[in-house]
Amino acid sequence: MHGKGRSRAQGAEGRRGVADAYLERIGAARPARADAAALRELQLRHLMAVPFENLSVHLGEDIVLEEEKLLDKIVTARRGGFCYELNGAFAALLRELGFRVTLLQARAFGDGGRLGIPYDHVALRVETDDGTGPWLADVGFGDHALHPLALDDRTEQDDPCGVFRFRGAPQGDLDLLRGGSRQFRLDLRPRVLADFRAGSWYHRTSPDSHFTQSLVCSRRTATGRVTLSGRTLVTTVRGERHKAEIGTDAEVLAAYRDHFGLRLDELPEVRRIPEGVTRGTHPRNH
């Protein structure tokens, strides 16, 4: 085999190895084909295995929106992340498994229906090989749909987490509603991971971002959800919510380990940012 051919073969073998490790991380088997059933299973297993968390923001860890870095954090280090990290890594896995994936930018609706910043959220448009879809896959919006949503369907879509519907919005965008409440506005134009650097930088540096104001670590479970916010542990089991306060630092670290599989060397603490001050440097450096 010539040098270039050998290099390509080694690269393909390496990507397959990373994908296999990723599948092991989420407890999923390699699907026989890239169809809608496989996508549904992969999204569900990802939501149940990999937590939505913003701990890097408060541990002073850099967040680099590059595929290799994201895979290293989520697969090798067995951490979670926020939307840019989770959906960025999930997109890489899906592509390796034969799905056709496009990154889409979205803006979440806040209090009073106010839209967030551009590139506030990243979601995935996924095409499968069975003629269904396209699908909106999302493992990075916290408490959200368990299953992919049919992107071209304007009727109500039932999900274990509620009733979802896409509704037309200005400039060809789509609003995603859950139970009639707007979740985010989706721009259907294709994006690349680097486009989201400014949004990621804002959310980990601005005092106006909810990610800098509090700690969150949350994961779907077989019976509901478990969330650790600082020292407050909330478990939801079949619709019943249970809240407990955790006392010592050692107990908090144990909760991260036992409920989320996170083995941390130090306890995350909210790092307050004064008004008008941001951490870090220009977003192009991240």
Side-chain angles (χ1 to χ4, degrees):
M1 184 181 289
H2 296 295
K4 288 185 178 179
R6 184 184 302 111
S7 177
R8 284 195 297 269
Q10 290 173 343
E13 183 179 347
R15 290 192 299 272
R16 182 179 179 87
V18 171
D20 286 341
Y22 203 144
L23 291 168
E24 184 276 329
R25 166 84 170 95
I26 64 175
R30 179 177 283 268
R33 61 182 297 208
D35 58 14
L39 177 63
R40 181 178 174 128
E41 177 73 4
L42 290 166
Q43 174 164 310
L44 178 60
R45 288 190 175 272
H46 202 291
L47 290 168
M48 295 183 68
V50 183
F52 178 89
E53 49 107 332
N54 69 337
L55 305 185
S56 289
V57 173
H58 301 286
L59 288 170
E61 299 171 348
D62 201 6
I63 297 173
V64 182
L65 296 191
E66 296 173 3
E67 187 175 289
E68 183 178 351
K69 298 289 188 181
L70 300 182
L71 292 170
D72 185 60
K73 180 179 181 182
I74 290 169
V75 179
T76 307
R78 304 183 80 84
R79 284 281 301 279
F82 57 3
C83 71
Y84 311 106
E85 301 171 282
L86 297 178
N87 280 328
F90 192 45
L93 172 65
L94 293 176
R95 290 188 181 114
E96 180 61 24
L97 296 175
F99 296 92
R100 297 178 298 282
V101 183
T102 303
L103 304 187
L104 302 178
Q105 77 100 358
R107 303 170 68 186
F109 285 97
D111 295 338
R114 181 175 57 88
L115 279 169
I117 63 167
Y119 300 95
D120 197 23
H121 178 62
V122 58
L124 309 179
R125 181 187 190 273
V126 183
E127 296 177 69
T128 56
D129 67 4
D130 56 2
T132 64
W135 301 95
L136 186 75
D138 199 333
V139 296
F141 202 63
D143 184 9
H144 189 53
L146 287 190
H147 303 148
L149 300 170
L151 198 49
D152 290 344
D153 189 347
R154 299 295 175 266
T155 64
E156 292 184 342
Q157 301 184 49
D158 291 325
D159 182 88
C161 285
V163 178
F164 292 82
R165 183 166 69 89
F166 291 108
R167 185 174 68 189
Q171 300 180 330
D173 293 348
L174 289 177
D175 286 348
L176 177 61
L177 286 70
R178 177 184 183 180
S181 176
R182 293 181 298 180
Q183 302 298 294
F184 55 71
R185 177 162 293 174
L186 195 64
D187 180 338
L188 299 177
R189 291 173 292 182
R191 308 292 179 179
V192 296
L193 196 56
D195 293 335
F196 295 87
R197 287 175 180 165
S200 173
W201 176 78
Y202 168 85
H203 277 303
R204 69 180 186 272
T205 62
S206 172
D208 296 326
S209 168
H210 58 277
F211 288 113
T212 64
Q213 296 172 15
S214 62
L215 291 160
V216 64
C217 187
S218 186
R219 179 180 63 83
R220 178 72 189 187
T221 68
T223 56
R225 192 164 199 88
V226 58
T227 301
L228 181 59
S229 299
R231 294 179 181 271
T232 303
L233 182 68
V234 177
T235 55
T236 304
V237 180
R238 297 182 182 87
E240 291 190 9
R241 194 169 181 268
H242 306 274
K243 183 177 178 180
E245 297 297 326
I246 302 176
T248 68
D249 291 357
E251 289 171 333
V252 175
L253 289 172
Y256 281 119
R257 182 192 66 230
D258 297 342
H259 293 286
F260 308 100
L262 305 184
R263 298 182 180 276
L264 304 176
D265 294 326
E266 62 178 291
L267 188 69
E269 299 281 1
V270 174
R271 300 184 179 190
R272 297 292 181 188
I273 305 175
E275 291 292 333
V277 177
T278 58
R279 297 193 204 99
T281 54
H282 194 277
R284 286 181 300 184
N285 296 327
H286 294 271

